[in-house]
């Protein structure tokens, strides 16, 4: 008999438990707050009617919904930050409260501000992983003005907080502060310590800046301008967040007055990662450009004379010849120089002396020519000049060649061994005609150079402008 009574009692207990569970389910379904339970992949495994109405789905369709997808990309980052912190709490003591908009996505068209309470649930099902629950209260009717303010900053990554004169965080006005600083608990934290942790090389600048905040407490707000120079040194600060580049932020401080004197400070944190990395890319591109230019200069510039090499000559002078043939130049002359008795200088004084002569002759050529002229060390002691002329008042090739010849002859060149020598040069001048090529011009200039050498050196031989 007793066993029958025990069986009946067990049935009554089970019935009471089932009724209690059903009652609890009804309570959850009927409360106005949104209630969801998420598995370790942040998918919904339990929800109430308020959540189903919010997403516009039936209870069956709402299950296994990706909860994170209901938020904008910016808010998604904040939400995942809180999830990570909660699941990292091994003692299950965390009870996280935060305000965050849900919606503004394809799932929920209109964004709504919610106050969320986040809990971790202890359970026995290993398949669901670390289960967490959220309870959210719609704040739309209470915070319309705040919603408008939030929309202003919705398109730009800004963090807003209030600190006291010691740099201690008193209020966090924007949840994005947690993401920008990669910190969860900010209230009561020292902002200077957080920034210094990520930027130890900015120790002096950070100490000076927060020293200004301390010194100006109780002063009139107009005096804040005296410290803006120090504050401006905090242009870009790096925040390590586990990614390859981290984040780069720019902090700005504005005084909050009480009876017209500074009481606290508003801190505005701007995410400048994109612009900072873009600037670094530009700087790297500029460095690579300068390196490429330096390599190019090494290839086309003779290091001894400072003149162009034959590598540069062919294309550049050929372009001048083509321009002359189109009638764009009044005159184009090609001058070929050869230093007289140069071998005897090397034989008598050594190759260092010969290098010094080449170096000095290159300097003389550069001082006697214009940027539009092309001066080339053709090889050894031979030099080629291309002299375009666009004005009848300009000095033609023969005049420039004679000036260079005379200047070299009048220059006393000091050699590395302390001795001095005088060196002369002979040159030939040829003019570009309608059917000329670079090879033909160089060949004629060389012929006139040979004639000048044959006639006694230290002179020039000039082709008639009308040709021969």
């Amino acid at each position: 008999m007793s066993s029958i009574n025990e069986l009946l009692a067990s049935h009554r207990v089970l019935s009471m438990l089932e009724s209690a569970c059903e009652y609890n389910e009804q309570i959850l379904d009927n409360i106005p707050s949104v209630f969801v339970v998420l598995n370790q992949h942040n998918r919904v495994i339990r929800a109430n009617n308020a959540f189903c109405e919010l997403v516009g789905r039936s209870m069956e369709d709402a299950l296994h919904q990706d909860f994170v997808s209901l938020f904008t990309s910016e808010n998604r980052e904040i939400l995942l930050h809180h999830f990570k912190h909660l699941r990292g709490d091994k003692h299950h003591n965390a009870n996280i409260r935060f305000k965050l908009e849900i919606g503004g996505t394809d799932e929920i068209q209109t964004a709504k501000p919610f106050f969320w309470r986040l809990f971790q649930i202890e359970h026995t099902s290993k398949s669901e992983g670390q289960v967490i629950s959220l309870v959210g209260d719609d704040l739309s009717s209470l915070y319309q003005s705040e919603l408008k303010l939030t929309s202003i900053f919705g398109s730009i990554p800004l963090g807003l907080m209030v600190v006291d004169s010691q740099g201690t965080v008193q209020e966090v006005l924007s949840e994005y502060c947690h993401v920008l600083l990669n910190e969860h608990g900010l209230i009561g934290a020292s902002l200077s310590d957080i920034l210094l942790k990520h930027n130890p090389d900015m120790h002096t600048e950070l100490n000076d800046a927060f020293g200004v905040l301390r010194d100006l407490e109780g002063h009139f707000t107009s005096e804040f301008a005296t410290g803006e120079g120090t504050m401006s040194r905090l242009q870009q600060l790096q925040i390590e967040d586990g990614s390859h580049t981290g984040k780069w932020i720019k902090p700005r401080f504005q005084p909050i007055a009480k009876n017209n004197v500074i009481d606290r400070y508003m801190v505005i944190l701007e995410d400048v990662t994109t612009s900072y990395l873009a600037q670094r890319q530009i700087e790297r591109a500029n460095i690579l450009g300068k390196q490429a230019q330096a390599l190019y200069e090494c290839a086309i510039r003779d290091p001894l004379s400072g003149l162009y090499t034959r590598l540069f000559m062919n294309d550049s002078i050929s372009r001048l010849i083509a321009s002359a043939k189109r009638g764009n130049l009044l005159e184009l002359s090609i001058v070929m120089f050869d230093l007289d008795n140069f071998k005897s200088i090397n034989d008598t004084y050594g190759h260092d002396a010969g290098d010094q002569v080449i170096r000095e002759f290159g300097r003389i050529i550069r001082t006697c020519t214009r940027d539009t002229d092309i001066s080339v060390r053709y090889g050894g002691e031979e030099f080629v000049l291309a002299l375009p002329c666009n004005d009848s008042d300009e000095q033609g090739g023969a005049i420039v060649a004679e000036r260079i010849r005379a200047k070299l002859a009048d220059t006393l060149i000091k050699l590395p061994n302390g001795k001095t020598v005088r060196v002369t040069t002979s040159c030939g001048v040829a003019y570009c005609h309608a059917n000329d090529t670079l090879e033909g011009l160089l060949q004629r200039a060389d012929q006139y150079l040979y004639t000048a050498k044959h006639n006694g050196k230290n002179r020039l031989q000039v082709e008639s402008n009308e040709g021969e």
Side-chain angles (χ1 to χ4, degrees), residues 37-100:
V37 178
L38 308 179
N39 65 11
Q40 63 181 353
H41 302 296
N42 300 323
R43 293 191 173 276
V44 178
I45 57 176
R46 175 69 175 93
N48 66 352
N49 289 332
F51 176 75
C52 295
E53 291 175 4
L54 179 66
V55 298
R57 294 189 174 193
S58 65
M59 183 66 71
E60 183 179 357
D61 292 336
L63 294 179
H64 304 295
Q65 165 79 40
D66 181 3
F67 185 75
V68 178
S69 68
L70 303 175
F71 294 78
T72 62
S73 57
E74 180 180 313
N75 288 342
R76 201 173 298 162
E77 193 173 0
I78 296 171
L79 186 66
L80 290 173
H81 174 84
H82 289 305
F83 285 177
K84 179 181 178 182
H85 175 75
L86 183 69
R87 287 178 171 136
D89 182 11
K90 297 180 180 179
H91 302 291
H92 307 291
N93 294 324
N95 180 359
I96 299 174
R97 299 167 182 266
F98 58 97
K99 188 175 67 176
L100 196 65

Side-chain angles (χ1 to χ4, degrees), residues 387-398:
L387 306 172
C389 180
N390 280 309
D391 195 322
S392 58
D393 293 333
E394 291 181 348
Q395 297 174 336

Side-chain angles (χ1 to χ4, degrees), residues 391-443:
D391 195 322
S392 58
D393 293 333
E394 291 181 348
Q395 297 174 336
I399 298 175
V400 175
E402 173 57 23
R403 184 186 301 119
I404 293 172
R405 184 207 63 77
K407 190 171 182 64
L408 177 63
D410 290 341
T411 300
L412 197 61
I413 300 176
K414 186 175 181 179
L415 303 179
N417 61 7
K419 296 183 180 181
T420 57
V421 294
R422 290 189 185 276
V423 180
T424 62
T425 183
S426 302
C427 63
V429 182
Y431 292 96
C432 180
H433 302 302
N435 297 321
D436 264 329
T437 62
L438 175 59
E439 292 76 11
L441 271 170
L442 290 174
Q443 185 177 16

